[in-house]
Amino acid sequence: MKGQMMDVPLTITEIMRHADRINGETEVVSVAYDNPRHRYTLSDAFKRTRKLANALKSLGIKKGDRIATLAWNDYRHLELYYAISCSGSVLHTINPRLFPEQIEYIINHAEDGIVFFDPLFAPLIEGLQAKCPSVKHFIALCDAAHLPETSIPELMDYESFIESHNDSFDWPQLAEDDASSLCYTSGTTGHPKGVLYSHRSTVLHSLASALPDAFSLSVHDTVMPIVPMFHVNGWGLAYSAPMTGTKLVLPGPKMADGETLTDLINNEEVTMTAGVPVVWLTLLEHLKQSDTQVPSLSRIIVGGSACPELLIQEYDELFDVSVHHAWGMTEMSPLGTFNQMTPKIAALSEQEQMAYKLKQGRIVFGVDMRIEDWQGEAVEWDGHQFGAVKVRGPWVASGYYKQGESIDSNGYFDTGDVASIDPHGYMLITDRSKDVIKSGGEWISSIELENIAVGHPDIKEAAVIGVPHKKWGERPLLIAVTRDVDVSAEELLAHFEGKVAKFCMPDAVEFIKELPHTATGKLSKKDLREQFASYVLG
Ligand code: AMP
């Protein structure tokens, strides 16, 4: 027997319709290229979104066409989010921090027809425009007065582009599985791969991420996403905030500027923010140096990489702000887990609580997770055994754009992360699959060993890689950078005694002057592996 409920498609157009009617008075405050404080309401935003949709139509944009943005978080980017997806075309957000060759590859692979860009990226576009034949129009996100001096042919400014167009638009009826947006992951090897979101996946992700034990959004909140809108749809906040009527504060190109962020938090009474750890370290430094409090701010969501303990501790002690760890990835829209204390954990001592706060959190409803050992068997959720993290769910990618499916025979997507889950349901990322050391059928976490190494007072930075071993297949090699003092390998290895099982202890230590890093500042184990390619243990 079938249920008798209406089959209404879950589309971003419905988020927009609801936000316009019900939350039209909600404010959006932005730092834009041509305006240090732009302020309007969601109702104003959607009026301009309709003008933009008409302007796009006038260029002959059709359903399914890809339209790219290279832009910071601001109000024009928000209008593009809705006008492009709700008119049936695909919003392709591009990370301007990628290498120009990667951006060129991405634009050509997606066959973008239009590129909207922040004027700050004009030099980048100048270098690319002749190499991207699918792009018929470049439009700068500013008004006519701020159009940059450039060699980009027939460059238009956004304001002139939408100005003459009508502010009513008949939005097409879309199917919920129509593609809505596209974001490329920048893997460390090979070309970037495109993740193609649907209207349905976006709506369901917005609903789940807004829940009280996740982002907990409401009309009483003001959210400032520091996570860029070009990275996994800004963790979906550009959808979930208008859906819930949460005021949005968009810091434009000032995302790494502690002073602007503090001003925005205090003047706009920001209650909640989201971003990668390095942003919060920058802000922390600024707040401490300027001796400024942020009374409205109650919580910070940290994701993208593991959150240092110091961050959680100092925001709590000095500013009464709680820091919540979240985990996810481009292929997961992105949210997979969120760290919220359950009553049982909240009843523990502060020190015991910290061990949980440092974990990546509990699985959000909608994500089904399996942790598999190296033989593909599900491991027990005992907080000790770890394995490959596999996920499935309505906002998890089933494959990559223009490539086949990439799910296993059970229908799960392999995240490439390695983790354990404890009996309370808290997941702890212990490694990336490609970095974990596979030693005689056991997995050894490189991250756990690195954390122990940097706990030694004379060690500045450390990395652990697996090197070939005749008997065990692979064994851990510790590569360390000292704080300009002499430390012997024996002394450093003695520091591991009692902290890890015997078979996990590094077999050898090498000291080097500095560790290689990627363009985004992450430790490059790929380069280290090449550097130590001829190293053999045993
Ligand atoms: P991206 O697709 O660029 O967002 O990168 C996703 C990857 O970042 C994940 O697969 C993890 O390896 C890593 N990551 C994301 N969030 C966290 C976190 N809270 N702690 C540790 N690693 C994380």
Side-chain angles (χ1 to χ4, degrees):
M1 192 190 289
K2 296 266 186 223
Q4 277 187 301
M5 290 292 135
M6 290 185 192
D7 188 12
V8 178
L10 302 174
T11 62
I12 296 169
T13 319
E14 292 309 319
I15 297 183
M16 177 174 64
R17 241 192 279 274
H18 175 82
D20 196 6
R21 278 199 205 130
I22 309 302
N23 301 320
E25 291 173 357
T26 296
E27 271 192 310
V28 179
V29 179
S30 308
V31 177
Y33 172 76
D34 51 0
N35 187 347
R37 280 301 177 283
H38 177 275
R39 184 183 299 274
Y40 69 176
T41 63
L42 278 178
S43 167
D44 300 327
F46 293 126
K47 192 168 171 187
R48 281 167 53 89
T49 298
R50 295 190 289 273
K51 284 165 86 76
L52 173 58
N54 278 312
L56 291 172
K57 199 173 171 187
S58 74
L59 292 184
I61 291 301
K62 298 184 306 300
K63 195 171 174 199
D65 285 353
R66 275 78 60 213
I67 301 176
T69 61
L70 265 153
W72 295 114
N73 295 6
D74 73 14
Y75 68 106
R76 292 189 183 103
H77 206 175
L78 185 72
E79 294 163 11
L80 285 160
Y81 257 59
Y82 285 91
I84 295 172
S85 301
C86 299
S87 50
S89 36
V90 178
L91 168 81
H92 175 199
T93 51
I94 303 179
N95 181 349
R97 293 181 185 140
L98 295 176
F99 295 115
E101 304 75 47
Q102 288 178 308
I103 297 180
E104 179 190 328
Y105 170 84
I106 287 174
I107 292 177
N108 288 332
H109 188 263
E111 298 172 89
D112 295 320
I114 309 177
V115 174
F116 287 88
F117 67 94
D118 201 297
L120 291 168
F121 304 127
L124 179 68
I125 300 289
E126 277 173 5
L128 287 174
Q129 46 99 9
K131 300 174 193 156
C132 302
S134 63
V135 182
K136 300 290 177 271
H137 307 279
F138 288 98
I139 300 174
L141 293 168
C142 59
D143 58 20
H146 291 85
L147 204 57
E149 287 277 325
T150 116
S151 59
I152 304 165
E154 295 172 50
L155 180 64
M156 271 183 280
D157 71 274
Y158 182 90
E159 293 305 322
S160 307
F161 177 56
I162 67 167
E163 193 178 24
S164 61
H165 289 280
N166 201 309
D167 64 14
S168 64
F169 188 79
D170 208 4
W171 297 105
Q173 181 58 62
L174 302 171
E176 62 178 18
D177 59 353
D178 280 340
S180 60
S181 52
L182 177 64
C183 183
Y184 281 71
T185 62
S186 45
T188 42
T189 50
H191 283 306
K193 290 182 280 191
V195 177
L196 190 59
Y197 308 99
S198 69
H199 281 263
R200 181 172 192 269
S201 70
T202 305
V203 172
L204 292 173
H205 179 268
S206 305
L207 283 167
S209 60
L211 285 171
D213 286 332
F215 294 173
S216 185
L217 298 175
S218 95
V219 282
H220 303 291
D221 276 302
T222 296
V223 60
M224 180 167 71
I226 312 288
V227 52
M229 287 164 77
F230 56 72
H231 189 200
V232 215
N233 307 316
W235 296 356
L237 285 161
Y239 306 113
S240 52
M243 176 191 265
T244 51
T246 304
K247 175 176 163 181
L248 265 172
V249 177
L250 303 170
K254 298 288 188 182
M255 306 219 271
D257 176 351
E259 193 179 339
T260 306
L261 296 183
T262 308
D263 279 358
L264 285 170
I265 293 171
N266 284 337
N267 294 333
E268 303 303 329
E269 300 194 327
V270 170
T271 57
M272 174 261 199
T273 59
V276 294
V278 63
V279 170
W280 307 121
L281 286 168
T282 310
L283 181 67
L284 186 64
E285 279 311 304
H286 176 78
L287 293 176
K288 287 201 296 195
Q289 270 165 19
S290 61
D291 194 17
T292 314
Q293 285 292 321
V294 276
S296 62
L297 190 64
S298 73
R299 58 199 196 280
I300 290 177
I301 299 167
V302 178
S305 55
C307 179
E309 182 169 346
L310 170 115
L311 211 66
I312 301 179
Q313 207 171 9
E314 296 211 333
Y315 271 109
D316 180 26
E317 283 169 9
L318 306 176
F319 303 100
D320 196 21
V321 173
S322 61
V323 173
H324 299 264
H325 221 163
W327 166 88
M329 62 195 309
T330 308
E331 291 88 336
M332 296 178 70
S333 302
L335 193 60
T337 66
F338 190 89
N339 199 316
Q340 183 71 276
M341 274 194 286
T342 62
K344 269 199 175 148
I345 305 303
L348 298 174
S349 71
E350 274 187 27
Q351 203 187 349
E352 286 167 321
Q353 279 179 21
M354 184 55 88
Y356 287 92
K357 287 182 184 173
L358 285 167
K359 298 190 182 198
Q360 275 72 13
R362 288 154 44 92
I363 301 165
V364 295
F365 169 77
V367 175
D368 174 19
M369 188 179 288
R370 256 174 84 86
I371 308 276
E372 288 183 4
D373 67 14
W374 62 287
Q375 286 171 310
E377 297 297 327
V379 307
E380 221 177 294
W381 292 11
D382 60 4
H384 300 292
Q385 300 181 54
F386 53 84
V389 179
K390 295 190 169 185
V391 289
R392 63 189 271 279
W395 56 85
V396 177
S398 60
Y400 294 100
Y401 183 50
K402 293 186 184 170
Q403 293 183 17
E405 291 217 322
S406 53
I407 47 179
D408 68 12
S409 54
N410 296 317
Y412 285 77
F413 174 83
D414 189 343
T415 64
D417 285 325
V418 174
S420 63
I421 301 186
D422 68 33
H424 300 289
Y426 288 77
M427 182 188 81
L428 174 70
I429 297 279
T430 53
D431 228 323
R432 294 282 297 159
S433 305
K434 59 183 179 359
D435 296 333
V436 75
I437 295 127
K438 288 134 191 145
S439 174
E442 297 285 352
W443 282 6
I444 300 173
S445 160
S446 65
I447 293 179
E448 190 183 5
L449 298 182
E450 286 157 11
N451 287 341
I452 295 173
V454 294
H456 187 288
D458 296 332
I459 299 299
K460 198 163 126 197
E461 217 182 348
V464 174
I465 57 169
V467 296
H469 188 284
K470 273 197 220 98
K471 183 171 174 197
W472 301 108
E474 261 184 3
R475 288 294 302 157
L477 166 68
L478 170 61
I479 302 155
V481 179
T482 65
R483 293 183 194 278
D484 294 329
V485 281
D486 277 339
V487 188
S488 69
E490 292 70 34
E491 201 182 330
L492 187 50
L493 287 176
H495 174 72
F496 282 79
E497 296 284 352
K499 296 191 176 79
V500 280
K502 266 246 159 331
F503 80 92
C504 296
M505 294 273 285
D507 276 24
V509 183
E510 288 292 323
F511 293 100
I512 59 175
K513 282 243 160 318
E514 62 181 311
L515 295 176
H517 290 91
T518 65
T520 51
K522 285 191 185 177
L523 180 67
S524 174
K525 292 207 178 168
K526 185 172 154 260
D527 287 332
L528 263 186
R529 276 192 279 266
E530 277 167 21
Q531 209 173 320
F532 288 87
S534 53
Y535 207 95
V536 181
L537 285 168

Coordinates of all heavy atoms in Angstrom, one line a residue, residues 152-205:
I152 N 40.5 41.7 -20.7 CA 39.5 40.7 -20.9 C 38.5 41.3 -21.9 O 37.9 42.4 -21.7 CB 38.8 40.4 -19.6 CG1 39.8 39.9 -18.6 CG2 37.7 39.3 -19.8 CD1 39.3 39.8 -17.1
P153 N 38.3 40.7 -23.1 CA 37.4 41.3 -24.1 C 35.9 41.3 -23.7 O 35.4 40.4 -23.0 CB 37.6 40.3 -25.3 CG 38.1 39.1 -24.8 CD 38.8 39.4 -23.5
E154 N 35.3 42.4 -24.1 CA 33.8 42.7 -23.8 C 33.4 42.4 -22.4 O 32.4 41.8 -22.1 CB 33.0 41.8 -24.8 CG 33.2 42.2 -26.2 CD 32.5 41.2 -27.2 OE1 31.3 40.9 -26.9 OE2 33.2 40.7 -28.1
L155 N 34.2 42.8 -21.5 CA 33.9 42.6 -20.0 C 32.7 43.4 -19.6 O 32.6 44.6 -19.9 CB 35.2 42.9 -19.2 CG 35.0 42.7 -17.7 CD1 34.8 41.3 -17.4 CD2 36.2 43.2 -17.0
M156 N 31.8 42.8 -18.9 CA 30.6 43.5 -18.4 C 30.7 43.6 -16.9 O 31.3 42.7 -16.3 CB 29.3 42.7 -18.7 CG 28.7 42.9 -20.0 SD 27.2 42.0 -20.2 CE 27.8 40.4 -20.6
D157 N 30.1 44.5 -16.3 CA 29.9 44.6 -14.8 C 28.6 44.0 -14.5 O 27.6 44.2 -15.2 CB 30.2 46.0 -14.3 CG 29.1 46.9 -14.6 OD1 29.1 47.5 -15.7 OD2 28.1 47.0 -13.7
Y158 N 28.5 43.4 -13.3 CA 27.3 42.7 -12.9 C 26.1 43.7 -12.8 O 25.0 43.3 -13.2 CB 27.6 42.1 -11.5 CG 26.5 41.3 -10.8 CD1 26.4 40.0 -11.1 CD2 25.6 41.9 -10.0 CE1 25.4 39.2 -10.4 CE2 24.6 41.2 -9.3 CZ 24.5 39.8 -9.6 OH 23.5 39.1 -8.9
E159 N 26.3 44.9 -12.2 CA 25.2 45.8 -12.0 C 24.6 46.2 -13.4 O 23.3 46.2 -13.5 CB 25.6 47.0 -11.2 CG 26.0 46.7 -9.8 CD 24.9 46.0 -9.0 OE1 23.7 46.3 -9.2 OE2 25.2 45.0 -8.2
S160 N 25.4 46.5 -14.4 CA 24.9 46.9 -15.7 C 24.2 45.7 -16.3 O 23.2 45.8 -17.0 CB 26.0 47.4 -16.6 OG 26.7 48.4 -16.0
F161 N 24.7 44.5 -16.0 CA 24.2 43.2 -16.6 C 22.7 43.0 -16.2 O 21.9 42.6 -17.0 CB 25.1 42.1 -16.2 CG 24.6 40.7 -16.7 CD1 24.4 40.4 -18.0 CD2 24.4 39.7 -15.8 CE1 23.9 39.2 -18.4 CE2 24.0 38.4 -16.2 CZ 23.7 38.2 -17.5
I162 N 22.4 43.3 -14.9 CA 21.1 43.0 -14.4 C 20.1 44.2 -14.5 O 18.9 44.0 -14.4 CB 21.1 42.4 -13.0 CG1 21.5 43.4 -11.9 CG2 21.9 41.1 -12.9 CD1 21.3 42.9 -10.5
E163 N 20.7 45.4 -14.5 CA 20.0 46.7 -14.3 C 18.7 46.8 -15.1 O 17.6 47.0 -14.5 CB 20.9 47.8 -14.7 CG 20.4 49.2 -14.2 CD 21.3 50.3 -14.6 OE1 22.1 50.1 -15.6 OE2 21.3 51.3 -13.9
S164 N 18.7 46.6 -16.4 CA 17.5 46.8 -17.2 C 16.5 45.7 -17.1 O 15.4 45.8 -17.8 CB 18.0 47.1 -18.6 OG 18.6 45.9 -19.1
H165 N 16.8 44.7 -16.4 CA 15.9 43.5 -16.5 C 14.7 43.6 -15.4 O 14.9 44.2 -14.3 CB 16.6 42.2 -16.3 CG 17.4 41.9 -17.6 ND1 16.9 41.4 -18.7 CD2 18.7 42.2 -17.9 CE1 17.8 41.3 -19.6 NE2 18.9 41.8 -19.1
N166 N 13.6 42.9 -15.8 CA 12.4 42.9 -15.0 C 12.7 42.1 -13.6 O 13.4 41.2 -13.6 CB 11.4 42.1 -15.8 CG 10.0 42.4 -15.3 OD1 9.7 42.4 -14.1 ND2 9.2 42.8 -16.3
D167 N 12.0 42.6 -12.6 CA 12.2 41.9 -11.3 C 11.1 40.8 -11.0 O 11.0 40.4 -9.9 CB 12.4 42.8 -10.1 CG 11.2 43.6 -9.8 OD1 10.1 43.3 -10.4 OD2 11.3 44.6 -9.1
S168 N 10.4 40.4 -12.1 CA 9.6 39.2 -11.9 C 10.1 38.1 -12.8 O 10.5 38.4 -13.9 CB 8.1 39.6 -12.1 OG 7.9 39.9 -13.5
F169 N 10.0 36.9 -12.4 CA 10.5 35.8 -13.2 C 9.7 34.6 -12.9 O 9.3 34.3 -11.7 CB 12.0 35.5 -12.8 CG 12.6 34.5 -13.7 CD1 13.1 34.9 -15.0 CD2 12.8 33.2 -13.3 CE1 13.7 34.0 -15.8 CE2 13.4 32.3 -14.2 CZ 13.9 32.7 -15.4
D170 N 9.3 33.9 -13.9 CA 8.5 32.7 -13.8 C 9.5 31.5 -13.6 O 10.0 31.0 -14.6 CB 7.7 32.5 -15.1 CG 6.4 31.8 -14.8 OD1 6.2 31.5 -13.6 OD2 5.7 31.5 -15.8
W171 N 9.7 31.1 -12.4 CA 10.7 30.0 -12.2 C 10.2 28.7 -12.8 O 9.1 28.3 -12.6 CB 11.0 29.8 -10.7 CG 11.6 31.0 -10.1 CD1 11.0 31.9 -9.3 CD2 12.9 31.5 -10.2 NE1 11.8 32.9 -8.9 CE2 13.0 32.7 -9.5 CE3 14.1 31.1 -10.9 CZ2 14.2 33.5 -9.4 CZ3 15.2 31.8 -10.9 CH2 15.3 33.0 -10.1
P172 N 11.0 28.0 -13.5 CA 10.6 26.7 -14.1 C 10.4 25.6 -13.0 O 11.0 25.7 -12.0 CB 11.8 26.3 -15.0 CG 13.0 27.0 -14.4 CD 12.5 28.2 -13.8
Q173 N 9.5 24.7 -13.3 CA 9.3 23.6 -12.4 C 10.4 22.6 -12.6 O 10.5 22.0 -13.7 CB 7.9 22.9 -12.6 CG 7.7 21.7 -11.7 CD 7.7 22.1 -10.2 OE1 6.9 23.0 -9.7 NE2 8.7 21.6 -9.5
L174 N 11.2 22.4 -11.7 CA 12.4 21.5 -11.8 C 12.1 20.1 -11.2 O 11.3 20.1 -10.2 CB 13.6 22.1 -11.2 CG 14.0 23.5 -11.8 CD1 15.1 24.1 -10.9 CD2 14.5 23.3 -13.2
A175 N 12.8 19.1 -11.6 CA 12.7 17.8 -10.9 C 13.7 17.8 -9.8 O 14.7 18.5 -9.9 CB 13.0 16.7 -11.9
E176 N 13.4 17.1 -8.7 CA 14.3 17.2 -7.6 C 15.7 16.6 -7.8 O 16.6 16.9 -7.2 CB 13.6 16.6 -6.3 CG 13.3 15.2 -6.4 CD 12.7 14.7 -5.1 OE1 12.2 15.5 -4.2 OE2 12.7 13.5 -4.9
D177 N 15.7 15.7 -8.8 CA 17.0 15.1 -9.1 C 17.8 15.9 -10.2 O 18.9 15.4 -10.6 CB 16.9 13.6 -9.4 CG 16.1 13.3 -10.6 OD1 15.4 14.3 -11.1 OD2 16.0 12.2 -11.1
D178 N 17.3 17.0 -10.6 CA 18.0 17.9 -11.5 C 19.3 18.4 -10.9 O 19.3 18.6 -9.6 CB 17.2 19.1 -12.0 CG 16.2 18.8 -13.0 OD1 16.3 17.7 -13.7 OD2 15.2 19.5 -13.2
A179 N 20.4 18.5 -11.7 CA 21.6 19.0 -11.1 C 21.5 20.5 -10.7 O 20.8 21.2 -11.4 CB 22.7 18.9 -12.1
S180 N 22.0 20.8 -9.6 CA 21.9 22.2 -9.1 C 23.3 22.9 -9.1 O 23.4 24.1 -9.4 CB 21.3 22.3 -7.7 OG 22.1 21.6 -6.8
S181 N 24.3 22.2 -8.7 CA 25.6 22.9 -8.5 C 26.7 21.8 -8.7 O 26.5 20.6 -8.6 CB 25.7 23.6 -7.2 OG 25.4 22.8 -6.1
L182 N 27.9 22.4 -8.9 CA 29.1 21.6 -9.2 C 30.3 22.1 -8.5 O 30.5 23.3 -8.5 CB 29.3 21.6 -10.7 CG 30.4 20.9 -11.4 CD1 30.4 19.4 -11.2 CD2 30.5 21.3 -12.9
C183 N 31.0 21.2 -7.8 CA 32.2 21.7 -7.1 C 33.3 20.6 -7.3 O 33.1 19.4 -7.2 CB 31.9 21.8 -5.6 SG 33.2 22.5 -4.6
Y184 N 34.5 21.1 -7.7 CA 35.6 20.1 -8.0 C 36.4 19.9 -6.7 O 36.7 20.9 -6.0 CB 36.5 20.6 -9.1 CG 35.8 20.4 -10.5 CD1 34.7 21.1 -10.9 CD2 36.4 19.4 -11.3 CE1 34.2 20.8 -12.2 CE2 35.8 19.1 -12.6 CZ 34.7 19.8 -13.0 OH 34.1 19.6 -14.2
T185 N 36.8 18.7 -6.5 CA 37.7 18.4 -5.3 C 39.1 18.5 -5.8 O 39.4 18.1 -7.0 CB 37.5 17.0 -4.8 OG1 37.9 16.1 -5.8 CG2 36.1 16.8 -4.3
S186 N 40.0 19.1 -5.0 CA 41.4 19.3 -5.4 C 42.2 18.2 -4.8 O 42.9 18.4 -3.8 CB 41.9 20.6 -5.0 OG 41.5 20.9 -3.7
G187 N 42.1 17.0 -5.3 CA 42.9 15.9 -4.8 C 44.4 16.1 -4.9 O 44.8 17.0 -5.8
T188 N 45.2 15.4 -4.2 CA 46.6 15.7 -4.3 C 47.3 15.0 -5.5 O 48.3 15.3 -5.9 CB 47.4 15.2 -3.0 OG1 46.8 13.9 -2.7 CG2 47.2 16.1 -1.8
T189 N 46.5 14.0 -6.1 CA 47.1 13.4 -7.3 C 46.0 13.5 -8.4 O 44.8 13.6 -8.1 CB 47.3 11.9 -7.0 OG1 46.2 11.3 -6.4 CG2 48.5 11.7 -6.2
G190 N 46.5 13.5 -9.6 CA 45.5 13.6 -10.8 C 44.8 14.9 -10.9 O 45.0 15.8 -10.1
H191 N 43.9 14.9 -11.9 CA 43.1 16.1 -12.1 C 42.0 16.2 -11.0 O 41.5 15.3 -10.5 CB 42.4 16.0 -13.5 CG 43.3 16.3 -14.6 ND1 44.1 17.4 -14.7 CD2 43.6 15.6 -15.7 CE1 44.8 17.4 -15.8 NE2 44.5 16.3 -16.4
P192 N 41.5 17.5 -10.8 CA 40.4 17.7 -9.9 C 39.2 16.9 -10.4 O 39.0 16.8 -11.7 CB 40.1 19.2 -9.9 CG 41.4 19.8 -10.4 CD 42.0 18.8 -11.3
K193 N 38.3 16.5 -9.5 CA 37.1 15.7 -10.0 C 35.8 16.5 -9.5 O 35.8 17.0 -8.4 CB 37.1 14.3 -9.3 CG 38.2 13.5 -9.9 CD 38.2 12.1 -9.3 CE 38.9 12.0 -8.0 NZ 39.2 10.8 -7.4
G194 N 34.8 16.5 -10.4 CA 33.6 17.3 -10.2 C 32.6 16.5 -9.4 O 32.2 15.4 -9.8
V195 N 32.0 17.1 -8.4 CA 30.9 16.6 -7.6 C 29.7 17.4 -8.0 O 29.6 18.6 -7.8 CB 31.2 16.7 -6.1 CG1 30.0 16.1 -5.3 CG2 32.5 15.9 -5.7
L196 N 28.7 16.6 -8.5 CA 27.5 17.3 -9.1 C 26.3 17.1 -8.1 O 25.8 16.0 -8.0 CB 27.2 16.6 -10.4 CG 26.2 17.3 -11.3 CD1 26.5 18.7 -11.7 CD2 26.0 16.5 -12.6
Y197 N 26.0 18.2 -7.4 CA 24.9 18.1 -6.4 C 23.5 18.2 -7.1 O 23.4 18.8 -8.2 CB 25.0 19.2 -5.4 CG 26.4 19.3 -4.8 CD1 27.3 20.2 -5.2 CD2 26.7 18.4 -3.8 CE1 28.6 20.2 -4.7 CE2 28.0 18.5 -3.2 CZ 28.9 19.4 -3.7 OH 30.2 19.4 -3.1
S198 N 22.5 17.7 -6.5 CA 21.1 17.8 -7.1 C 20.3 18.8 -6.1 O 20.7 19.1 -5.0 CB 20.5 16.5 -7.1 OG 20.2 16.0 -5.8
H199 N 19.2 19.2 -6.6 CA 18.3 20.0 -5.8 C 17.9 19.2 -4.6 O 17.9 19.8 -3.5 CB 17.0 20.4 -6.6 CG 17.3 21.6 -7.6 ND1 17.0 22.9 -7.3 CD2 17.9 21.6 -8.8 CE1 17.4 23.6 -8.3 NE2 17.9 22.9 -9.2
R200 N 17.6 18.0 -4.7 CA 17.1 17.2 -3.6 C 18.2 17.0 -2.6 O 18.0 17.2 -1.4 CB 16.7 15.8 -4.1 CG 16.2 14.8 -3.1 CD 15.7 13.6 -3.8 NE 15.0 12.7 -2.8 CZ 15.5 11.8 -2.1 NH1 16.8 11.5 -2.2 NH2 14.8 11.1 -1.2
S201 N 19.4 16.7 -3.0 CA 20.5 16.5 -2.1 C 20.8 17.8 -1.3 O 21.0 17.8 -0.1 CB 21.8 16.1 -2.8 OG 22.4 17.1 -3.5
T202 N 20.6 18.9 -2.0 CA 20.9 20.2 -1.3 C 19.8 20.5 -0.3 O 20.1 21.0 0.8 CB 21.0 21.3 -2.4 OG1 21.9 21.0 -3.4 CG2 21.3 22.7 -1.8
V203 N 18.6 20.3 -0.6 CA 17.5 20.6 0.3 C 17.6 19.6 1.6 O 17.5 20.1 2.7 CB 16.1 20.4 -0.3 CG1 15.0 20.5 0.7 CG2 15.9 21.4 -1.4
L204 N 17.8 18.4 1.3 CA 17.9 17.4 2.5 C 19.2 17.8 3.3 O 19.1 17.7 4.6 CB 18.0 16.0 2.0 CG 16.7 15.5 1.3 CD1 16.9 14.1 0.7 CD2 15.6 15.5 2.4
H205 N 20.3 18.1 2.7 CA 21.5 18.5 3.5 C 21.2 19.8 4.3 O 21.6 19.9 5.5 CB 22.6 18.7 2.5 CG 23.9 19.1 3.2 ND1 24.2 20.5 3.4 CD2 24.9 18.4 3.8 CE1 25.4 20.5 4.1 NE2 25.8 19.3 4.3

